[in-house]
Amino acid sequence: MKGPGLKKQGVVFLQALFIFIFTSLEIWIRSGPGIISGLIIALVTYGGVNYGRTGTRYVAAVTPPLAYGATVLLLTILSDGLSISRVGIDFIGSLASVAPYLLLSALYAWFMFLNEKAKNRPSKRAAAAQG
C-alpha cells in the first residue's frame, strides 16, 4: 500500500462499518453471531494495525470490541424489544460466541501498540552513555 496509511478516523470508521455489516448479516441469516463475526473482528484488527498510520494502533486495538458490542446490543434490542432479561441473556451469549476471537485480536493489537510505544521510547543505556 502506498501512502502514509489511514488516519485514526478512517481506522475507526472502516472497522465499525465492516463489523456492523458482517455481524448484522450473520445474525440475520443464522439468528446469532459465530465464526464469520469472529473472523471479521480478527481481520479488521489486523487491518487497522497494519494499514493505519503511526500512532493509530491504540484506536485499532480499542475499536473492534466496542463496535462489536454496540452492534450486537443494537440488534438484540431490535429483535427482542426492551425485555431486560432477554436482551441481557442474548447479549452475553453473543459476546461469549466470539470471545476467543475478541481475546486473540485484542492480545495481538495491544502487543503491537505496546511494542510500538517501547520502540519510540529512548533507551536508558543510550541516555546514560551520553550523560
Side-chain angles (χ1 to χ4, degrees):
M1 182 173 96
K2 292 186 178 190
L6 294 169
K7 291 183 181 181
K8 290 178 184 179
Q9 296 89 343
V11 171
V12 169
F13 178 76
L14 287 177
Q15 284 182 330
L17 179 69
F18 280 113
I19 288 172
F20 179 77
I21 289 171
F22 285 99
T23 301
S24 299
L25 285 173
E26 188 174 26
I27 289 174
W28 179 61
I29 292 170
R30 293 188 55 220
S31 299
I35 192 166
I36 306 269
S37 297
L39 290 175
I40 288 299
I41 289 169
L43 287 174
V44 299
T45 302
Y46 176 79
V49 167
N50 288 326
Y51 297 116
R53 291 184 181 183
T54 303
T56 60
R57 289 193 173 160
Y58 176 78
V59 172
V62 170
T63 302
L66 294 175
Y68 179 77
T71 299
V72 168
L73 185 61
L74 175 71
L75 295 173
T76 303
I77 290 172
L78 289 176
S79 67
D80 293 342
L82 288 176
S83 172
I84 301 291
S85 60
R86 181 75 181 167
V87 168
I89 290 170
D90 286 349
F91 180 69
I92 297 298
S94 60
L95 286 177
S97 67
V98 297
Y101 301 100
L102 282 169
L103 183 62
L104 291 174
S105 297
L107 286 173
Y108 169 72
W110 283 109
F111 173 77
M112 296 301 284
F113 167 71
L114 293 171
N115 192 26
E116 178 186 55
K117 194 174 178 183
K119 285 182 180 178
N120 290 336
R121 189 176 48 213
S123 172
K124 291 182 181 180
R125 287 184 186 171
Q130 289 178 351

